[in-house]
Amino acid sequence: MSSPYQRLAALLVVGALGLGPSAAAADTVTIGLAQSITGGSPALYGIEQKNAAELAVDEANAAKLLGDRKIQLVHLDDGADRGQTVNVFQRLIGRDKVVAIIGPTLSTGAFAADPIAQKAGVPVVAASNTASGVTDIGDYIFRVSPPEDRVTPGVLKTVVDRFKVKRVAQIYGIDDQLTKSAYNTQKKALEALGVEIVATETFQRGDVEFAAQLTKIKAAQPDLIVLGSLAEESAGILRQARQLGIPKEVVFVGTQSSISSKFFELAGPAAEGLIAGTAWYIDSPEPKNQEFVKKYEARFGRKPDIYSAYGYDAASLVINAIKEAGSGDRKAVRDNLAKTKNFPGVLGPIGFDAGREPVIDPKILVASGGRFVIFK
Amino acid sequence: MSVFLQQTVNGLSLGSAYAVFAVGFTLLFGVLNVLNLAQGAVFMVGAFTGLELVRLVELPLPLAFLVAMVTAGAVSVLTQVAVFGPLERRGGHRWMGLIASLAVARLLVAIAQEVFGTQVLRYPSEPWMEASWTIAGVQIQGLQLIVLATALLVMAALAVLLRATQTGRAIRTMAFNPNVARLVGVPVQRMTLLTYFIAGALAGAAGVQLGVLYNAVSPFMGETILLKGLTVLILGGLGHVPGAALAGLLLGLTEVYSVGYLSSSFRDAVGFGLVFIILLVRPHGLFGLTTRQRA
Amino acid sequence: MSEWLASYENVVALVLLNGILGIAAYLMLIVNRFSLATGGLMAIGAYVSVLATMNFGVPFALTLVLGGVTAAVMALLLGAPVLRIEGDYFALATLAFTEIVRIIALNWESVTGGALGIVGIPTETQIWQLALALAALTAAVFAVHRSAAGRVLAAIRGDEMAAAAIGIDVARARLLTFVASGAICGVAGAFAGHLNFFIGPSDFGMIRSIDAIVYAVFGGLGGVLGPVVGALVYTVLPEMLRFSAQAREILLSLVIILAVLFMPRGLISLNLPLRRWLPRRRGQRGKLAAGQGVAAE
C-alpha cells in the first residue's frame, strides 16, 4: 500500500492535467458542445444531439467548408445537473475559448447558463430547449427546436375540427420542463378551442406505471387524450391505454419528442394513430434529410430521432455562420446567425426570426404502420 | 365499483413486485445491519439480464427469470467481497458503508449505460404478453398475473428456506445476534455471502418482474425502486421480512388508490406522508422492531 | 489567474457552498442523527429568499437572514416530534420531509413556478461572501467544540445514556443543534438561490441531502474541517475527471470506492504531518476512534 503522500500526489497530478490550459492548434475554430450524456432521461436526447453535431462537424471538416481551418468540437457533459451546466459553460468560454456553444440539453440548464454566455458575448444555439423565455435571455441566444406554442395549437385545432372533439383528457409529466411547458401550451390551446377538459392526470420522470391514471381517464370518457410526455413515456401510456381497453375511437395527440423510432419500438402496435406536430420526421422528403438519415444510421447504428435532426441543423447553422463571418469572431458569428434565412437544413429551409426562434414549417403527422406519415 | 376493483388489481400486481424487492432489502438489514443502497442497481442488473437473455439468446422467460436472479445474486456477492467486506474489516463504520453503497450503485449504473446505452429497451413482442381477461368489468392482464404468481412463488421459497432449513436457522440466528451466532458455530462469513446472494436474487427477480410488466428496461430504473423500497422498509419495520412483504402490497395499493381517488401529482407525497405519520406514532415502523444494537 | 477564475468561478462557488452544507450535515451526525432534511430546509431558505428579492425588493443580506430564520423555524417544528426517532428510521423520516417539500414545490406553481422554476433571479451571491460565510461558520463550530457546549455534544456523541445520567438534557441539545443546522441550510439555500439565475424543485431533493452527508462522512467526522475537505474533493473530482468524457462516471465511482476503502475514517484521517498544524478538538485522537465507532451505530 502506497504512502498517503504518493496517493495525494498522484491525485493532484491527475487533477492538474484536468485543470490546466487546453492547447488548441493555431488553425482551428473551436465550437463548444454542452450536452448531457449522463444523469437520467435527459441523456437520451443529449446523446442524439451530440452524435448529430459530431457528424455535422466531421462532414464539414472533410469537405473543407472553412477552407484550411479545421473545426474542433469540444464536448462537456453536465450530467443533467444545472450547477454543472454553469461549470461547463464557464469552462468552454474561459478555457476552451469557443466561438459558439451548441446546447444545453435542458431548459433549466439554459436559464442558468445562457446568461453567462450572453454576458461574455458567446452565441448559443439550443437544439432541445422548448420552454418559453429561453431566447428572451439575450440576443446571443438562438434556438433550433421550436417552442411548443409554435406547433401545438395548429395540431390541436386540426384534430378537434376533424374528429369533432368535445371532451379532452390530459396526462403529462409534472417534473420535467419539456413536458410541463408542453402541457401549459396544450391547455391554453384547448381552452381557446372551447372543448371540455374532463380529466387531468400527471406522472413523474422515470414512471413506467400509468394504469392508475389511465383508469381514471377511461372513466371520464374523453374523445381525445393529449399527452405531455417524452417518447418512452408516450409509448408506455399508449400500450397501457390499449391494455386497459380504452376504445379505439379515442384519438391520441403527443408532443414533438414522440417523433422517434424508439417510440415505435417501445409502443408496438399500440402506436397506431398517434398524432403529433413537428418540424421533422424521418421520412421527410427533404433531400438533405434522406442523406442525413443514411449517414447517421451508418455511423451510429440506429435511426436518428427528432433531436438528432435538431442537433445536426444547429451545428450546421453554426458552421455556416462561421463561414459567412470569415473568422472566429464571436460577434460576427452571432450576427450571421441572426441573418440566416432559408438555410438548407435537415428540417427543410431554416432560419431565425427577429426573436431568434426558428422559422420552420410545422407538419402534422400520424403514426401509421410503424412510421410517421403526413396526416391528411 | 369496477373502477375500484380495477385499481385494486393494478395495485396488487405493482405491490407484489415492490414486496419482492423490499424483502431482499430488509433481509440484508435484518441479518447484517446493512442499509445497502446498491440494491436498486442490482435490481436493474437483474432486469437487463432477463431482457437480454430473452432478446438475444432467446431463452424462454421462466428460464431467463431464474438466470437473472442468479446473476443479480452473484453481482450482489461480488460487491460484498470487493467493497463492503473489506470496508468493514478496515474499520469503516455504517455511514461509510452507505457512501460506499452509493458509489457502487453509481458504478453499476455507469457500466450499464456504457454497455446498453441510455435508451429504454423493450422485450420483443409476444402474443402472450398482450393477453388479458375481463371479469366483472375489470381488466386483468396476463402480465399482472405472472408478476403476482412469481412473487408468491419466490416468497414461499424464501419462507421455506428461512423457517424450515438449517441454513435458514443459521441466518435467523445471525439476525438475532451475530456474536451469539459465532458462538454456536454458525459459519458467519459464508452466511453473510449467502444473505447478499439472496437479497441480490430477490432484487433481480423484482427487476425482471417490473421490466416485463411495464415493458421498459433502462439503466435508471433502479433509482425509483430504491426510494419505494426504503418506504416499504419503514412501513414494514426494518428487518422484518413478513412486514416488508405486507408493506410492499400496501404501498402498491396506496399509490394506485391515491392516484385514483386523490391526485396523481401527489402520489409520492402520500407515500412519504404515510411514512412520516407512521414514524411519528410508531418510531419503529408498523411492526415495531427496534434498531439493533450490536454488542 | 483571472482567466482561470473566470473558467472555474462556479466550481469555486460550489465548493464553498457545499462546504457550508457539509458542516450542516456534520453537526447532526456528531449528535448521532443521520439527517436527510438538508435538502428540504435548503429549499425553504432558497424559495423564501428568492421570492423576497424578486417580489418585494428586499436587500440580499436581509434575505439571507430571512432564509435562515424560516428554515430554522421549520427545523424547530420538524425536530420536536422527529428527533426522538432513532437511527435509520430518523434518516427516512427526514428523507420523507425533504421529498414532501420537493413535491409541494413541484405542485405549488403559483408560488414556485412548478417544474419550470423561477427564472431571472438576480445573481447577488459572490465568492467572497461564500468564503466569508464558510470561514465564519468553521470558526464558530471550532469555538463551540472547545466550549462547554462542545463538551455536551461530545458527551452525547460518546454515550447518550451516560450523558443523560449526568444531567444533560439530550433532547434539548439535539433540538438546538438541529435548529442551528437548519438555519445554516436556510442561509445556504438563500446563497444557492441567487447563484445561477434559476432555481427549481429538483435542485433540493434527496440527492442534495445525500451529497451533504457524503461531504461530511467522506471528509471525516473528526473535526469541522472534515466536511469542508470532503466538499472540496467531492465537488472538484468530477471537474478534474473531465478529460475522459465517456468513462467519467465510471472513473468517478471507482475513485470514490477506492477512497472509501483506503481512508475508511474519512479524508482527514490521513495522518499527514500537516495535521499537527491544523486546529482540532482537544484530546481528539483517543476519542476519535471510540467516538466514531459508537457514534456510527
Side-chain angles (χ1 to χ4, degrees), chain A residues 1 37-38 40-41 43-44 47-48 174 200-202 204 206-209 211-213 215-216 219 232 239-240 243-245 262 265-266 268 302, chain B residues 3 6-7 10 14 90 113 118-122 125 129-130 132 139 141 143 213-216 220 224 256 259-265 267-268:
Chain A
M1 182 147 77
I37 57 170
T38 58
S41 54
L44 289 167
I47 286 186
E48 296 297 324
I174 197 176
T200 305
E201 294 299 318
T202 63
Q204 298 192 36
D207 275 0
V208 285
E209 154 71 39
Q213 294 94 324
T215 305
K216 245 169 118 179
E232 305 73 35
R239 272 191 66 242
Q240 286 172 30
Q243 278 169 346
L244 279 171
K262 196 84 235 162
E265 234 182 272
L266 290 173
R302 60 171 180 270
Chain B
V3 171
Q6 179 72 71
Q7 299 285 35
N10 297 340
L14 182 63
R90 287 164 189 260
Q113 240 189 301
T118 29
Q119 306 274 326
V120 172
L121 298 178
R122 122 178 246 246
S125 204
M129 297 177 88
E130 307 291 329
S132 71
Q139 192 130 9
Q141 299 166 41
L143 289 175
L213 187 61
Y214 302 120
N215 207 354
F220 314 113
T224 347
V256 166
V259 168
Y261 298 106
L262 296 172
S263 160
S264 39
S265 320
R267 181 198 63 200
D268 286 346

Side-chain angles (χ1 to χ4, degrees), chain A residues 19-163:
Chain A
L19 290 175
S22 67
D27 261 344
T28 55
V29 170
T30 315
I31 301 179
L33 187 62
Q35 295 290 350
S36 318
I37 57 170
T38 58
S41 54
L44 289 167
Y45 34 111
I47 286 186
E48 296 297 324
Q49 294 167 68
K50 171 173 176 280
N51 287 347
E54 284 173 356
L55 184 64
V57 166
D58 288 347
E59 281 175 1
N61 277 335
K64 290 198 181 314
L65 268 184
L66 294 186
D68 282 329
R69 308 182 73 188
K70 286 209 103 49
I71 308 169
Q72 186 191 39
L73 195 62
V74 175
H75 165 252
L76 290 178
D77 171 26
D78 66 357
D81 166 8
R82 84 165 159 77
Q84 281 198 52
T85 315
V86 176
N87 295 348
V88 163
F89 265 55
Q90 284 184 337
R91 204 167 138 136
L92 286 173
I93 295 173
R95 206 189 86 140
D96 301 298
K97 309 239 189 310
V98 298
V99 162
I101 297 179
I102 300 172
T105 311
L106 287 175
S107 295
T108 44
F111 285 125
D114 282 357
I116 294 176
Q118 174 69 26
K119 192 149 158 238
V122 175
V124 176
V125 180
S128 59
N129 300 153
T130 52
S132 47
V134 170
T135 46
D136 292 336
I137 293 174
D139 61 353
Y140 274 76
I141 314 299
F142 296 80
R143 172 148 70 171
V144 166
S145 42
E148 286 292 328
D149 54 24
R150 298 249 162 146
V151 178
T152 310
V155 177
L156 287 175
K157 180 160 186 354
T158 308
V159 169
V160 166
D161 289 343
R162 174 72 59 86
F163 294 100

Side-chain angles (χ1 to χ4, degrees), chain A residues 1 4-5 7-8 11-12 14-20 37-38 50 75-79 82-84 86-88 90-91 93-95 97 108 111-113 115-116 131 172 174-178 180-181 183-184 204, chain C residues 3-11 14 102-103 106-107 109 113-116 119-120 192 196-200 202-204 208 233 236-243 245-246 248-249 255 262-263 270-274:
Chain A
M1 182 147 77
Y5 287 122
R7 292 200 294 270
L8 205 58
L11 200 63
L12 286 173
V14 169
L17 283 177
L19 290 175
I37 57 170
T38 58
K50 171 173 176 280
H75 165 252
L76 290 178
D77 171 26
D78 66 357
R82 84 165 159 77
Q84 281 198 52
V86 176
N87 295 348
V88 163
Q90 284 184 337
R91 204 167 138 136
I93 295 173
R95 206 189 86 140
K97 309 239 189 310
T108 44
F111 285 125
I116 294 176
Y172 70 99
I174 197 176
D175 59 350
D176 179 299
Q177 327 104 56
L178 205 138
K180 182 79 183 12
S181 52
Y183 164 72
N184 287 343
Q204 298 192 36
Chain C
E3 186 185 276
W4 187 90
L5 195 65
S7 310
Y8 294 108
E9 193 185 332
N10 198 54
V11 178
L14 286 177
R102 185 185 67 87
I103 291 171
L106 207 53
N107 281 284
E109 258 188 86
L116 299 172
V119 181
N196 285 144
F197 305 96
F198 170 86
I199 54 169
S202 57
D203 294 336
F204 307 113
R208 208 65 192 246
V233 174
V236 171
L237 209 50
E239 297 300 320
M240 292 204 299
L241 292 176
R242 281 199 185 279
F243 59 82
Q246 283 297 95
R248 195 169 76 120
E249 273 290 296
V255 169
F262 283 115
M263 293 173 277
L270 277 182
N271 269 315
L272 298 175
L274 199 61

Side-chain angles (χ1 to χ4, degrees), chain A residues 164-207:
Chain A
K164 317 251 182 297
V165 169
K166 301 265 183 303
R167 300 163 65 87
V168 179
Q170 286 184 277
I171 177 169
Y172 70 99
I174 197 176
D175 59 350
D176 179 299
Q177 327 104 56
L178 205 138
T179 54
K180 182 79 183 12
S181 52
Y183 164 72
N184 287 343
T185 312
Q186 291 161 355
K187 177 155 180 258
K188 222 163 112 198
L190 287 170
E191 283 167 351
L193 288 167
V195 290
E196 190 192 347
I197 300 181
V198 297
T200 305
E201 294 299 318
T202 63
F203 58 87
Q204 298 192 36
R205 197 190 288 181
D207 275 0

Side-chain angles (χ1 to χ4, degrees), chain C:
Chain C
M1 176 63 188
S2 78
E3 186 185 276
W4 187 90
L5 195 65
S7 310
Y8 294 108
E9 193 185 332
N10 198 54
V11 178
V12 172
L14 286 177
V15 165
L16 296 169
L17 185 67
N18 291 340
I20 295 174
L21 288 170
I23 294 181
Y26 162 82
L27 285 176
M28 287 318 293
L29 286 170
I30 60 170
V31 290
N32 294 336
R33 285 294 179 266
F34 192 102
S35 167
L36 292 173
T38 320
L41 293 168
M42 216 186 147
I44 291 172
Y47 279 107
V48 165
S49 69
V50 165
L51 290 170
T53 338
M54 291 187 70
N55 294 358
F56 302 105
V58 178
F60 181 54
L62 196 55
T63 65
L64 287 175
V65 173
L66 209 58
V69 166
T70 326
V73 169
M74 190 69 233
L76 185 63
L77 293 171
L78 177 68
V82 157
L83 281 167
R84 62 190 167 89
I85 306 175
E86 277 183 7
D88 299 314
Y89 292 103
F90 173 79
L92 291 162
T94 50
L95 176 63
F97 165 74
T98 295
E99 283 292 294
I100 290 174
V101 169
R102 185 185 67 87
I103 291 171
I104 291 176
L106 207 53
N107 281 284
W108 201 4
E109 258 188 86
S110 49
V111 167
T112 63
L116 299 172
I118 302 181
V119 181
I121 304 172
T123 47
E124 306 274 3
T125 308
Q126 309 274 353
I127 290 191
W128 68 263
Q129 297 166 345
L130 288 167
L132 194 62
L134 181 62
L137 186 61
T138 312
V141 173
F142 178 61
V144 164
H145 273 318
R146 297 179 76 119
S147 72
R151 281 194 290 276
V152 168
L153 292 177
I156 297 176
R157 182 181 190 179
D159 188 332
E160 209 171 299
M161 282 200 283
I166 61 169
I168 293 178
D169 188 342
V170 175
R172 204 177 84 108
R174 261 211 192 103
L175 187 59
L176 281 172
T177 314
F178 193 53
V179 170
S181 170
I184 298 172
C185 292
V187 173
F191 273 127
H194 293 88
L195 183 64
N196 285 144
F197 305 96
F198 170 86
I199 54 169
S202 57
D203 294 336
F204 307 113
M206 180 178 75
I207 299 189
R208 208 65 192 246
S209 298
I210 291 182
D211 279 350
I213 299 268
V214 172
Y215 307 145
V217 175
F218 190 57
L221 298 172
V224 70
L225 279 181
V228 177
V229 170
L232 171 68
V233 174
Y234 201 71
T235 309
V236 171
L237 209 50
E239 297 300 320
M240 292 204 299
L241 292 176
R242 281 199 185 279
F243 59 82
S244 163
Q246 283 297 95
R248 195 169 76 120
E249 273 290 296
I250 296 180
L251 274 177
L252 191 60
S253 338
L254 278 174
V255 169
I256 296 173
I257 293 176
L258 286 172
V260 164
L261 280 176
F262 283 115
M263 293 173 277
R265 293 221 171 270
L267 294 173
I268 61 168
S269 64
L270 277 182
N271 269 315
L272 298 175
L274 199 61
R275 284 192 75 216
R276 230 170 273 144
W277 308 109
L278 295 176
R280 56 167 194 233
R281 288 181 300 155
R282 215 176 288 156
Q284 188 190 49
R285 235 186 235 146
K287 250 194 214 150
L288 187 59
Q292 277 195 329
V294 177
E297 301 306 333

Side-chain angles (χ1 to χ4, degrees), chain A residues 211 215 218 239-247, chain B residues 2-3 5-10 13 130-142 144-145:
Chain A
T215 305
K218 181 177 170 193
R239 272 191 66 242
Q240 286 172 30
R242 298 294 170 219
Q243 278 169 346
L244 279 171
I246 289 187
Chain B
S2 70
V3 171
L5 285 176
Q6 179 72 71
Q7 299 285 35
T8 309
V9 168
N10 297 340
S13 70
E130 307 291 329
S132 71
W133 300 271
T134 316
I135 305 174
V138 174
Q139 192 130 9
I140 305 181
Q141 299 166 41
Q144 288 177 317
L145 286 178

Side-chain angles (χ1 to χ4, degrees), chain B residues 15-31:
Chain B
S16 58
Y18 286 167
V20 170
F21 178 78
V23 162
F25 207 7
T26 212
L27 196 69
L28 266 181
F29 187 86
V31 175

